[in-house]
Amino acid sequence: MVVAEGVHKRYGSVDVLRGVDLTVRRGEVCCLLGPSGSGKSTFLRCVNRLEKADGGTISVDGEPVGFRRHQGRRHELREKAVAAARRDIGMVFQRFNLFPHLTAAENVMEAPVRVKGVAKDEARQRAAKLLDRVGLAAKADSRPAQLSGGQQQRVAIARALAMDPKLMLFDEPTSALDPELVGEVLDVMRGLAEDGMTMIVVTHEIGFAREVADTTVFLDGGVVVESGPPAEVLTAPRQERTRAFLAKVL
């Protein structure tokens, strides 16, 4: 589903990504771990072209992200084409970014109606099913200010799922939550994994990575230090840098 080869990204004089190679197969969950500033979130944003990589290539479901090749030459896509491709990739951020003046159901309906042209009645029915899926059927008519942080994040997940994505990206989805609300969001993500959704998750929740991930990737300094099954990376890491990081977070 995702193939990244030699991905580089620089901000000014700082190299944030320095040649990241990563493969995520269809139906897999890949958890990205690493200290702050290691490039995890930047890589995620490059996958759906919220950031343009300065070097290397990323493809999603066999299609290059942000460019096409024609007669042996690389041609950058215009923003409209990039936005169209982005519809197939759902993203959930640290902050929920819900529209405060819309109800939970209206937040979930918004993109299908405005972007895909789905009829409102159909979108409303789909929103109801998705809110039920994330355990919020009773909150369909509540506005964000009436919801807890965990509930808002679950609405954000339902909103991303409303576009029927091939791939879901999660950028530290529990980092802005009070500790007692983390579990309800992780439970929803576990359900998505069990349903076969392909997911890349930037997280500090080591227990979640151990339980749900097919592949765990440790980044530091913009490079992949170590990757493999969580039983290997989290229990018996080969690299000293990985061992030092886990010693601080476990």
Side-chain angles (χ1 to χ4, degrees), residues 174-194:
T174 60
S175 65
L177 301 179
D178 291 334
E180 66 269 22
L181 302 177
V182 168
E184 62 191 50
V185 174
L186 295 181
D187 284 344
V188 171
M189 295 170 64
R190 286 188 187 93
L192 293 178
E194 290 169 0

Side-chain angles (χ1 to χ4, degrees), residues 1-2 47 60 88-90 165-169 197-200:
M1 179 61 77
V2 180
V47 171
V60 174
D88 292 329
I89 304 174
K166 301 175 181 177
L167 169 69
M168 285 286 286
L169 307 176
M197 174 64 74
T198 309
M199 300 160 59
I200 304 179

